[in-house]
């Protein structure tokens, strides 16, 4: 990350906390002691996110680590919506639609703000837990021995917040489709391999009733890439890291190493070894430079990574950054699907986006 972006990443939450802290201070009709206590708790909840980024959670008992992860990452998302809510109220006050008394020493406003934020994030959590089945039709003139059912997913982010019980439910959804094979476009692991190992999540993956092919994502590198590779092996997942595999002598699946690795091979080089007469699928976690797959003659590319921002209005940013930040896309003869992810990073909230898995029919 460039220094300027790193500075912004650090300064924006501090500015947001200061903005919300001031509003809470003037809004609550309480004494200075209790307002100080509440703001201190609010700041402390947010600062627990530092434990996640510094790896300190791995030194704590698993139940405590889970709780602190949820508190820290959820606080970041709640902070965003608290800022948006108070901005609306401040703009309303500036244009004289909201009386000044509404924002100062007011129990009614305090209750309304608490109710709105609670309602929004209860909905966001329920929406995240609902997994959307996305049907996708892939057609080709290349010869196939049969019609294939392929279940695709990305961004499971298994770890402190998505435990084995969640994975068990997801495995059930996938097995219910009776796929011929399964594709995962990276970020199976969230930020640490520790909870996956302690809960033996590899055993859940071994319950899958079809072969699984996957590429690495950036979070596998955050979780220590050699250990991530070992987990893939233990889970029975065929890791394709700048490698390819043939299925039924009719389909070629190419897995590209993640963009985090500056020495990964070019798409053109990976495709040069593939039989162009076979239907070719590329797994590439981050959906940058989609034109490269088109130029290389790829039939279909599966990517993830974006989560489509997880929360509105961050989805507006991902839509602006990526040529395709979510859903189906077409470039020449190449089809693409960028998944918003089956799991999620951080707090279990989705607003304006969806948690999904794709059931593709290849004809």
């Amino acid at each position: 990350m460039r220094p300027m972006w790193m500075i912004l990443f650090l300064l924006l939450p501090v500015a947001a906390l200061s903005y919300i802290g001031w509003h809470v201070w003037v809004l609550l009709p309480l004494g200075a002691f209790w307002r100080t206590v509440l703001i201190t708790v609010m700041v402390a909840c947010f600062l627990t996110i530092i434990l996640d980024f510094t790896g300190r959670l791995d030194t704590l008992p698993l139940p405590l680590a889970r709780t602190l992860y949820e508190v820290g990452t959820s606080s970041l998302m709640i902070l965003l919506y608290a800022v948006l809510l108070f901005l609306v109220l401040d703009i309303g006050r500036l244009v004289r639609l909201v009386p000044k008394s509404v924002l100062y020493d007011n129990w009614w406003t305090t209750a309304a703000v608490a109710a709105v934020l609670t309602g929004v994030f209860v909905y966001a959590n329920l929406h995240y837990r609902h997994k959307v089945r996305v049907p996708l039709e892939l057609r080709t003139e290349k010869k196939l021995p049969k019609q294939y059912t392929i279940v695709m997913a990305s961004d499971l982010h298994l770890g402190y917040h998505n435990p084995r019980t969640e994975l068990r439910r997801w495995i059930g959804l996938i097995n219910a489709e009776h796929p011929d094979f399964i594709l995962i476009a990276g970020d199976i692991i969230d930020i640490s391999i520790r909870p996956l190992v302690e809960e033996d999540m590899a055993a859940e993956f071994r319950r899958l009733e079809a072969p699984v092919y996957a590429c690495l994502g950036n979070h596998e590198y955050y979780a220590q890439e050699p250990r991530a590779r070992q987990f893939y092996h233990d889970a029975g997942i065929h890791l394709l890291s700048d490698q390819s595999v043939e299925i039924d002598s009719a389909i070629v699946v190419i897995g590209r190493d993640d963009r985090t690795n500056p020495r990964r091979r070019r798409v053109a080089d990976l495709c040069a070894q593939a039989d162009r007469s076979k239907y070719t699928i590329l797994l590439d976690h981050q959906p940058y430079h989609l034109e490269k797959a088109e130029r290389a003659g790829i039939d279909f590319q599966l990517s993830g990574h974006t989560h489509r921002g997880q929360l509105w209005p961050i989805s507006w940013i991902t839509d602006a950054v990526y040529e395709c930040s979510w859903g189906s896309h077409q470039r020449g003869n190449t089809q693409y699907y960028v998944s918003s992810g089956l799991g999620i990073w951080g707090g279990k909230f989705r607003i304006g986006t969806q948690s999904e898995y794709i059931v593709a029919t290849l004809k």
Side-chain angles (χ1 to χ4, degrees):
M1 189 179 289
R2 293 178 181 178
M4 182 177 292
W5 287 111
M6 180 64 78
I7 292 169
L8 283 174
F9 183 78
L10 294 172
L11 288 181
L12 284 175
V14 172
L17 274 172
S18 301
Y19 177 69
I20 296 304
W22 178 81
H23 266 293
V24 170
W25 182 270
V26 299
L27 177 61
L28 281 176
L30 295 172
F33 173 79
W34 290 111
R35 283 183 287 179
T36 302
V37 168
L38 186 61
I39 291 172
T40 301
V41 169
M42 181 180 73
V43 172
C45 286
F46 175 80
L47 291 179
T48 57
I49 200 170
I50 296 172
L51 298 173
D52 180 28
F53 291 140
T54 58
R56 299 285 184 180
L57 292 179
D58 287 349
T59 66
L60 302 174
L62 190 56
L64 177 60
R66 285 194 191 287
T67 300
L68 292 175
Y69 180 100
E70 294 279 12
V71 168
T73 55
S74 297
S75 297
L76 181 63
M77 297 174 184
I78 294 169
L79 179 67
L80 169 64
Y81 272 72
V83 167
L84 292 176
L85 181 55
F86 279 115
L87 277 175
V88 169
L89 291 171
D90 280 340
I91 291 170
R93 185 168 63 87
L94 286 173
V95 298
R96 305 197 178 195
L97 292 176
V98 176
K100 182 178 178 180
S101 60
V102 168
L103 295 174
Y104 290 83
D105 293 324
N106 195 310
W107 274 119
W108 288 106
T109 305
T110 301
V113 167
V116 167
L117 290 176
T118 299
V120 165
F121 283 96
V122 167
Y123 156 78
N125 180 257
L126 293 173
H127 185 52
Y128 162 73
R129 293 179 184 279
H130 173 64
K131 306 303 175 184
V132 178
R133 180 189 187 273
V134 178
L136 180 66
E137 188 172 279
L138 304 175
R139 288 187 173 272
T140 181
E141 295 179 359
K142 295 180 178 179
K143 186 176 180 181
L144 297 173
K146 64 174 185 176
Q147 176 175 298
Y148 288 87
T149 298
I150 312 165
V151 172
M152 306 178 186
S154 76
D155 299 274
L156 279 64
H157 287 275
L158 298 169
Y160 287 116
H161 62 319
N162 282 320
R164 182 170 176 172
T165 51
E166 276 288 289
L167 176 60
R168 185 177 300 125
R169 184 167 75 95
W170 301 350
I171 297 297
L173 292 172
I174 294 171
N175 280 337
E177 300 293 339
H178 305 292
D180 293 290
F181 58 95
I182 300 158
L183 302 176
I184 304 178
D187 278 5
I188 290 176
I189 303 165
D190 183 51
I191 201 75
S192 170
I193 197 72
R194 178 230 182 166
L196 284 76
V197 172
E198 288 195 16
E199 289 198 285
D200 191 18
M201 294 194 202
E204 287 297 329
F205 278 104
R206 294 195 294 270
R207 289 180 47 237
L208 287 168
E209 297 167 358
V212 185
Y213 304 95
C215 65
L216 293 173
N218 55 308
H219 277 255
E220 272 76 39
Y221 280 90
Y222 302 157
Q224 300 179 16
E225 176 236 352
R227 297 187 69 191
R229 288 176 180 271
Q230 184 60 49
F231 176 81
Y232 275 52
H233 178 268
D234 296 341
I237 297 169
H238 301 286
L239 174 60
L240 302 175
S241 182
D242 285 347
Q243 297 167 310
S244 62
V245 66
E246 278 194 15
I247 299 172
D248 293 345
S249 298
I251 301 171
V252 176
V253 179
I254 300 171
R256 196 178 185 203
D257 200 354
D258 186 64
R259 194 167 181 255
T260 308
N261 178 8
R263 295 181 299 278
R264 68 174 179 167
R265 296 178 65 188
R266 298 186 309 146
V267 174
D269 294 339
L270 293 171
C271 292
Q273 302 173 357
D275 186 342
R276 296 296 183 89
S277 68
K278 297 177 172 61
Y279 189 84
T280 308
I281 298 173
L282 174 66
L283 303 179
D284 193 354
H285 177 63
Q286 301 191 43
Y288 288 99
H289 302 296
L290 300 184
E291 72 280 358
K292 293 183 178 180
E294 178 193 6
R295 290 173 189 161
I298 294 292
D299 293 297
F300 175 75
Q301 176 177 323
L302 174 67
S303 296
H305 181 65
T306 69
H307 301 205
R308 209 190 172 205
Q310 296 185 191
L311 303 174
W312 176 90
I314 301 176
S315 53
W316 286 354
I317 298 174
T318 59
D319 288 349
V321 168
Y322 297 94
E323 178 181 335
C324 174
S325 73
W326 170 67
S328 294
H329 189 61
Q330 186 84 30
R331 261 184 161 270
N333 294 322
T334 304
Q335 287 181 263
Y336 302 80
Y337 194 91
V338 179
S339 175
S340 53
L342 182 58
I344 210 167
W345 174 85
K348 295 179 181 177
F349 306 117
R350 278 196 183 271
I351 298 173
T353 67
Q354 64 186 30
S355 295
E356 63 181 26
Y357 61 101
I358 303 97
V359 181
T361 302
L362 174 58
K363 301 179 180 180

